[in-house]
PDB file of all heavy atoms in Angstrom:
ATOM      1  N   THR A   5      -7.416 105.174  80.920  1.00  0.00           N
ATOM      2  CA  THR A   5      -8.686 105.681  80.411  1.00  0.00           C
ATOM      3  C   THR A   5      -9.632 104.597  79.886  1.00  0.00           C
ATOM      4  O   THR A   5     -10.795 104.560  80.297  1.00  0.00           O
ATOM      5  CB  THR A   5      -8.431 106.748  79.339  1.00  0.00           C
ATOM      6  OG1 THR A   5      -7.393 107.589  79.806  1.00  0.00           O
ATOM      7  CG2 THR A   5      -9.670 107.547  79.058  1.00  0.00           C
ATOM      8  N   PRO A   6      -9.135 103.705  79.037  1.00  0.00           N
ATOM      9  CA  PRO A   6     -10.075 102.696  78.535  1.00  0.00           C
ATOM     10  C   PRO A   6     -10.665 101.859  79.663  1.00  0.00           C
ATOM     11  O   PRO A   6     -11.862 101.540  79.664  1.00  0.00           O
ATOM     12  CB  PRO A   6      -9.208 101.819  77.622  1.00  0.00           C
ATOM     13  CG  PRO A   6      -7.953 102.562  77.417  1.00  0.00           C
ATOM     14  CD  PRO A   6      -7.790 103.517  78.533  1.00  0.00           C
ATOM     15  N   PHE A   7      -9.805 101.596  80.634  1.00  0.00           N
ATOM     16  CA  PHE A   7     -10.304 100.797  81.752  1.00  0.00           C
ATOM     17  C   PHE A   7     -11.436 101.516  82.489  1.00  0.00           C
ATOM     18  O   PHE A   7     -12.493 100.951  82.763  1.00  0.00           O
ATOM     19  CB  PHE A   7      -9.147 100.495  82.711  1.00  0.00           C
ATOM     20  CG  PHE A   7      -9.597  99.788  83.950  1.00  0.00           C
ATOM     21  CD1 PHE A   7      -9.999  98.460  83.869  1.00  0.00           C
ATOM     22  CD2 PHE A   7      -9.669 100.445  85.172  1.00  0.00           C
ATOM     23  CE1 PHE A   7     -10.431  97.814  85.006  1.00  0.00           C
ATOM     24  CE2 PHE A   7     -10.114  99.800  86.297  1.00  0.00           C
ATOM     25  CZ  PHE A   7     -10.485  98.472  86.216  1.00  0.00           C
ATOM     26  N   ALA A   8     -11.172 102.812  82.744  1.00  0.00           N
ATOM     27  CA  ALA A   8     -12.194 103.602  83.445  1.00  0.00           C
ATOM     28  C   ALA A   8     -13.480 103.663  82.636  1.00  0.00           C
ATOM     29  O   ALA A   8     -14.583 103.539  83.174  1.00  0.00           O
ATOM     30  CB  ALA A   8     -11.665 105.013  83.704  1.00  0.00           C
ATOM     31  N   MET A   9     -13.312 103.819  81.322  1.00  0.00           N
ATOM     32  CA  MET A   9     -14.489 103.875  80.462  1.00  0.00           C
ATOM     33  C   MET A   9     -15.291 102.586  80.550  1.00  0.00           C
ATOM     34  O   MET A   9     -16.515 102.589  80.660  1.00  0.00           O
ATOM     35  CB  MET A   9     -14.065 104.114  79.001  1.00  0.00           C
ATOM     36  CG  MET A   9     -13.489 105.497  78.742  1.00  0.00           C
ATOM     37  SD  MET A   9     -14.733 106.764  78.854  1.00  0.00           S
ATOM     38  CE  MET A   9     -15.510 106.523  77.251  1.00  0.00           C
ATOM     39  N   THR A  10     -14.564 101.476  80.469  1.00  0.00           N
ATOM     40  CA  THR A  10     -15.264 100.192  80.547  1.00  0.00           C
ATOM     41  C   THR A  10     -15.986 100.057  81.878  1.00  0.00           C
ATOM     42  O   THR A  10     -17.138  99.627  81.940  1.00  0.00           O
ATOM     43  CB  THR A  10     -14.258  99.024  80.420  1.00  0.00           C
ATOM     44  OG1 THR A  10     -13.149  99.473  79.678  1.00  0.00           O
ATOM     45  CG2 THR A  10     -14.904  97.826  79.806  1.00  0.00           C
ATOM     46  N   ALA A  11     -15.271 100.437  82.938  1.00  0.00           N
ATOM     47  CA  ALA A  11     -15.877 100.309  84.265  1.00  0.00           C
ATOM     48  C   ALA A  11     -17.138 101.155  84.339  1.00  0.00           C
ATOM     49  O   ALA A  11     -18.181 100.708  84.815  1.00  0.00           O
ATOM     50  CB  ALA A  11     -14.880 100.750  85.340  1.00  0.00           C
ATOM     51  N   LEU A  12     -17.036 102.369  83.788  1.00  0.00           N
ATOM     52  CA  LEU A  12     -18.184 103.263  83.806  1.00  0.00           C
ATOM     53  C   LEU A  12     -19.342 102.668  83.014  1.00  0.00           C
ATOM     54  O   LEU A  12     -20.491 102.634  83.482  1.00  0.00           O
ATOM     55  CB  LEU A  12     -17.766 104.620  83.230  1.00  0.00           C
ATOM     56  CG  LEU A  12     -18.805 105.732  83.341  1.00  0.00           C
ATOM     57  CD1 LEU A  12     -18.992 106.117  84.803  1.00  0.00           C
ATOM     58  CD2 LEU A  12     -18.375 106.938  82.527  1.00  0.00           C
ATOM     59  N   ALA A  13     -19.004 102.174  81.852  1.00  0.00           N
ATOM     60  CA  ALA A  13     -20.042 101.589  81.005  1.00  0.00           C
ATOM     61  C   ALA A  13     -20.705 100.407  81.704  1.00  0.00           C
ATOM     62  O   ALA A  13     -21.927 100.280  81.748  1.00  0.00           O
ATOM     63  CB  ALA A  13     -19.434 101.152  79.674  1.00  0.00           C
ATOM     64  N   ALA A  14     -19.847  99.585  82.279  1.00  0.00           N
ATOM     65  CA  ALA A  14     -20.381  98.411  82.970  1.00  0.00           C
ATOM     66  C   ALA A  14     -21.283  98.852  84.124  1.00  0.00           C
ATOM     67  O   ALA A  14     -22.360  98.305  84.345  1.00  0.00           O
ATOM     68  CB  ALA A  14     -19.236  97.554  83.491  1.00  0.00           C
ATOM     69  N   GLY A  15     -20.813  99.885  84.843  1.00  0.00           N
ATOM     70  CA  GLY A  15     -21.600 100.385  85.965  1.00  0.00           C
ATOM     71  C   GLY A  15     -22.945 100.887  85.499  1.00  0.00           C
ATOM     72  O   GLY A  15     -23.983 100.558  86.076  1.00  0.00           O
ATOM     73  N   LEU A  16     -22.945 101.661  84.423  1.00  0.00           N
ATOM     74  CA  LEU A  16     -24.191 102.195  83.884  1.00  0.00           C
ATOM     75  C   LEU A  16     -25.132 101.070  83.486  1.00  0.00           C
ATOM     76  O   LEU A  16     -26.317 101.084  83.779  1.00  0.00           O
ATOM     77  CB  LEU A  16     -23.903 103.084  82.673  1.00  0.00           C
ATOM     78  CG  LEU A  16     -23.419 104.499  83.003  1.00  0.00           C
ATOM     79  CD1 LEU A  16     -23.035 105.231  81.739  1.00  0.00           C
ATOM     80  CD2 LEU A  16     -24.514 105.254  83.755  1.00  0.00           C
TER      81      LEU A  16
END
Side-chain angles (χ1 to χ4, degrees):
Chain A
T5 317
F7 175 72
M9 291 290 282
T10 333
L12 188 68
L16 281 174

